[in-house]
Amino acid sequence: MIEAGLLLPGAHRAAALADDRAVARAILRVEDAWVTAQSRTGLVPAAAAEAAHAAVDRVPLDEASLTELAVASEGGGNPVIPLLAAYRRVVEEEHGRPLGAVHAGLTSQDVMDTTLALVVEDVRGTVLDGLDRTGDALAGLAVRHRDTVMVGRTLTQHALPVSFGLKAASWLAGVDDAADDVAARAHLPVSFGGAAGTLAATVARCTHPGDSGQRAWQRVRELLGHWAEELGLELPDGVWHTNRVPVLRAAGSLAETTAALSRMANDVLTMSRPEVGELREPAAEGRGVSSAMPQKQNPVLSVLLKRTGIAAPALLAQVVAGASAADDERPDGGWHAEWPALRELAVLTAAASSHAAELAEGLTVGEERMTRNLADAGTGVMAERLNTALAPVLGERDGRSAKQRIQAAVRAEPQDPDALAAALAAEVRTGEDVELPEGVAASELTGWIRGLLDPRGYLGAAPQLCERAAARHDERKRR
């Protein structure tokens, strides 16, 4: 159950999108739209539909009423039944008599699945807004820092020089991919089928004397189309009571988003460690404080993003387990198990998109610290470049390959590039019939090798990759 969030810090940013009140209001929207759709199809007088619409805002959804509704939901295993009873009472007051069109032909699962479709749609918009903001900020970082050199790390160890812009571009690629997936997959269609998935009651309601089966079916499709249009949802081709692939797609896209955002947070957490000091989260009043250590400024936005990334797989697994348990014409428990997991996953993803946007927009980049850390990493980060350039010159001698001799020289001079350049130049000169690289004179050998140790000259295509990531982001936004 999503509350303000004592155990889910930050969830308040999106909890109202899917809390109990939001779910109850979505149920009422579904029922109201169904009556309106019947009116548009000619099955219900317009005045009756107006009464059903006016009744929506009169159903009490205060805290006490929601608590009573939650308790009453146990009786039928879902909240539709008790909320529908309350709605029917208010409709009767508005209409002056009972209105049989309310819920006519529907079953609880039709309403609950369509309710979740509305909730997911609201969450989808919020997630996409947050991802767009995050992507815009990351695209700016990628371009501004395309040439900002820092030490790259693989398997937690120093590797080669990279640019911070390339790191931001990598984050951006994940965010844009997630946004595309959410836009394409994080939505559910209306759900229909009736008691056993045959639409029997709805067909009977839409059949006129003398109608053929095809004519009645055309009226059913018209009714369903009006219902979907009223709710702003898609109309599927068939019944999905036990085909839970639509739910899996939506949940999967949300989980993918949390993974992409958590990956960014993991890098920020590492790079904002005091001993690394390459990044700093944006500060805000009261954020990052410690209850015991007043000097601390904890990277809370990244902590919460990582929390969400850790929690999401289990929530997705529960949705998958529920889908896998579907059987017969209506699931017996699997469908029910999806609700809380999908809701919590949706809320956490929406909150995470907001956290990520704030993080990316306010991230402070410590360029001087990046330069210092790269220098402290020593000459070893340039060993690959040395090997590529010098192996043809050094060749194999005394049973040792060029690579082995370069490695030995780097180990002997791990911090002093001038000393390493001199040592390698001396190693080259000891060889017989050495052919220096074209354009390099013997007197320039040491200086040439020293140039190979400048990390700014070994960024490969990093600048171009940064520009491409930013351009792709702009192209995506124009679509």
Side-chain angles (χ1 to χ4, degrees):
M1 180 176 180
I2 301 295
E3 300 289 355
L6 288 182
L7 299 182
L8 290 175
H12 67 279
R13 295 190 180 210
L17 295 172
D19 63 10
D20 283 350
R21 184 171 285 104
V23 171
R25 285 198 61 82
I27 291 172
L28 294 172
R29 284 173 61 194
V30 170
E31 296 286 2
D32 171 32
W34 181 244
V35 178
T36 300
Q38 292 177 75
S39 176
R40 290 176 61 182
T41 313
L43 299 174
V44 174
E50 291 170 4
H53 183 68
V56 169
D57 291 332
R58 289 188 51 205
V59 177
L61 296 179
D62 56 274
E63 187 173 348
S65 298
L66 289 171
T67 300
E68 291 178 7
L69 177 63
V71 173
S73 298
E74 182 183 22
N78 70 75
V80 173
I81 297 170
L83 185 56
L84 179 59
Y87 179 56
R88 279 177 166 146
R89 287 193 295 270
V90 180
V91 171
E92 183 175 352
E93 293 173 4
E94 288 284 341
H95 189 49
R97 60 184 182 278
L99 181 59
V102 173
H103 199 70
L106 299 179
T107 191
S108 295
Q109 187 171 356
D110 293 331
V111 177
M112 277 303 299
D113 280 345
T114 306
T115 291
L116 290 177
L118 290 176
V119 170
V120 168
E121 192 66 23
D122 288 343
V123 168
R124 176 173 171 264
T126 298
V127 170
L128 289 175
D129 285 345
L131 293 179
D132 283 347
R133 285 177 54 201
T134 305
D136 288 346
L138 293 178
L141 288 171
V143 172
R144 286 195 302 276
H145 295 282
R146 49 170 278 169
D147 298 310
T148 300
V149 187
M150 60 173 288
V151 63
R153 301 171 177 96
T154 63
L155 279 70
T156 75
Q157 303 300 299
H158 292 153
L160 296 175
V162 299
S163 75
F164 176 67
L166 184 61
K167 186 175 286 290
S170 178
W171 299 341
L172 174 60
V175 168
D176 277 349
D177 286 345
D180 284 343
D181 209 33
V182 168
R185 300 173 66 203
H187 56 83
L188 302 173
V190 294
S191 177
F192 55 80
T198 65
L199 280 164
T202 302
V203 170
R205 189 168 180 78
C206 292
T207 300
H208 296 173
D211 272 351
S212 65
Q214 186 59 35
R215 178 58 184 143
W217 171 240
Q218 289 174 351
R219 288 200 185 92
V220 169
R221 291 294 294 178
E222 180 185 5
L223 170 61
L224 295 174
H226 288 323
W227 190 38
E229 187 177 315
E230 288 292 323
L231 294 170
L233 300 174
E234 293 181 5
L235 179 66
D237 289 330
V239 176
W240 54 281
H241 284 173
T242 51
N243 169 25
R244 309 310 289 171
V245 170
V247 182
L248 292 176
R249 287 175 178 156
S253 70
L254 297 175
E256 175 189 334
T257 299
T258 68
L261 299 181
S262 181
R263 178 273 164 108
M264 177 175 70
N266 293 337
D267 279 349
V268 174
L269 287 168
T270 296
M271 297 171 69
S272 63
R273 288 175 179 269
E275 60 269 27
V276 179
E278 295 170 342
L279 295 177
R280 187 170 68 251
E281 280 199 0
E285 183 67 29
R287 180 190 294 152
V289 296
S290 166
S291 63
M293 294 168 282
Q295 85 281 5
K296 290 191 72 181
Q297 182 65 44
N298 295 318
V300 174
L301 291 173
S302 297
V303 167
L304 294 180
L305 286 171
K306 185 169 185 175
R307 176 277 314 270
T308 299
I310 293 170
L315 296 170
L316 177 60
Q318 184 169 328
V319 175
V320 174
S324 301
D327 55 2
D328 297 326
E329 282 61 57
R330 297 266 305 283
D332 56 350
W335 161 55
H336 304 71
E338 294 170 2
W339 306 339
L342 180 60
R343 177 165 75 166
E344 186 168 331
L345 178 58
V347 167
L348 286 177
T349 305
S353 72
S354 174
H355 291 143
E358 190 171 345
L359 173 62
E361 289 169 347
L363 197 63
T364 298
V365 180
E367 295 184 44
E368 291 184 5
R369 191 63 175 268
M370 289 177 177
T371 300
R372 190 191 321 163
N373 288 344
L374 179 57
D376 290 345
T379 58
V381 296
M382 301 305 296
E384 180 184 79
R385 189 183 195 190
L386 292 172
N387 187 65
T388 300
L390 293 178
V393 178
L394 288 171
E396 183 174 342
R397 296 179 204 160
D398 303 325
R400 293 193 307 163
S401 67
K403 180 179 179 181
Q404 289 172 327
R405 294 205 303 286
I406 292 170
Q407 288 174 332
V410 169
R411 290 193 189 100
E413 298 293 349
Q415 293 297 326
D416 190 338
D418 292 327
L420 177 59
L424 287 172
E427 182 78 16
V428 170
R429 292 189 183 102
T430 61
E432 298 179 1
D433 300 324
V434 172
E435 292 187 17
L436 297 179
E438 185 176 352
V440 179
S443 60
E444 300 170 345
L445 182 59
T446 302
W448 175 70
I449 295 175
R450 180 64 182 85
L452 295 176
L453 290 167
D454 184 352
R456 292 170 298 181
Y458 201 60
L459 287 178
Q464 292 74 31
L465 290 169
C466 292
E467 297 288 351
R468 181 64 199 122
R472 175 179 178 258
H473 177 71
D474 289 341
E475 290 166 7
R476 180 190 163 274
K477 291 192 68 176
R478 288 195 295 270
R479 289 203 297 265

